[in-house]
Amino acid sequence: WWICFFKMLKEEGHYDETDQIQRDCLIFAFYDIIQRELTELVHMWNTHLIRRGRDVINGIPNELFYLPDMRGYDDCSTTYSDLDMEFTMQYIKEKPFLTVQFLTLTNILIEEENLQKPTTPMEALIFYLDLVHLINTIEY
């Protein structure tokens, strides 16, 4: 439903993908909420039961991945170096494409305007619109 939601924002004139400020504000407002939903989806998927079917093995994805020998399957996992894992973990924890300057500015605005970080899609929409407005009204 996120794709439809963002298309609606664009169609209603609330989002212009060519506007860097709007893109950054959209990422800042919605990133944590979308990430939380994706994490929940991954958990649901990895703990559901796959039924036996033609050319399909059955079981729970997490068990099949972490304990393949218990089901009579081969362990096909790959090992990575600590450096690869450290780099990957650092990369996925950062909000993509947001500059230090943008993050500094938004944190100042959040504090000055007493804004609350959003926890729902509707709160994120209001937060996004407020941020765009506040940044666009700053005199340089």
Side-chain angles (χ1 to χ4, degrees):
W1 80 275
W2 284 109
I3 293 171
C4 294
F5 178 78
F6 291 128
K7 280 183 182 177
M8 179 200 66
L9 279 181
K10 187 176 174 181
E11 289 168 1
E12 292 182 359
H14 297 297
Y15 176 65
D16 176 2
E17 62 196 23
T18 64
D19 184 322
Q20 185 68 44
I21 291 172
Q22 289 186 19
R23 283 199 329 250
D24 288 351
C25 288
L26 194 78
I27 291 169
F28 190 80
F30 287 94
Y31 184 86
D32 291 338
I33 293 168
I34 293 172
Q35 185 60 57
R36 185 183 66 232
E37 287 190 10
L38 288 173
T39 300
E40 290 171 7
L41 177 67
V42 166
H43 175 75
M44 283 182 2
W45 177 260
N46 285 338
T47 57
H48 87 288
L49 177 63
I50 300 172
R51 295 181 188 210
R52 185 180 310 278
R54 200 172 90 202
D55 300 324
V56 177
I57 59 173
N58 70 316
I60 297 172
N62 270 349
E63 291 176 7
L64 294 170
F65 182 80
Y66 292 109
L67 306 167
D69 51 329
M70 288 184 60
R71 298 292 214 147
Y73 300 111
D74 294 328
D75 184 353
C76 298
S77 61
T78 304
T79 57
Y80 295 93
S81 72
D82 289 342
L83 184 60
D84 287 339
M85 291 305 293
E86 183 179 324
F87 173 78
T88 302
M89 294 307 291
Q90 179 182 352
Y91 179 77
I92 63 173
K93 287 182 180 179
E94 296 174 2
K95 289 185 174 68
F97 313 114
L98 298 179
T99 64
V100 171
Q101 294 85 356
F102 177 82
L103 292 171
T104 302
L105 175 61
T106 52
N107 286 326
I108 290 169
L109 290 172
I110 287 169
E111 188 173 318
E112 286 180 356
E113 299 295 325
N114 199 25
L115 299 174
Q116 300 297 313
K117 290 284 283 182
T119 58
T120 67
M122 189 53 67
E123 288 176 4
L125 173 60
I126 295 166
F127 185 80
Y128 159 74
L129 295 171
D130 287 345
L131 272 183
V132 170
H133 174 74
L134 289 167
I135 291 173
N136 285 331
T137 57
I138 293 174
E139 294 183 23
Y140 297 97

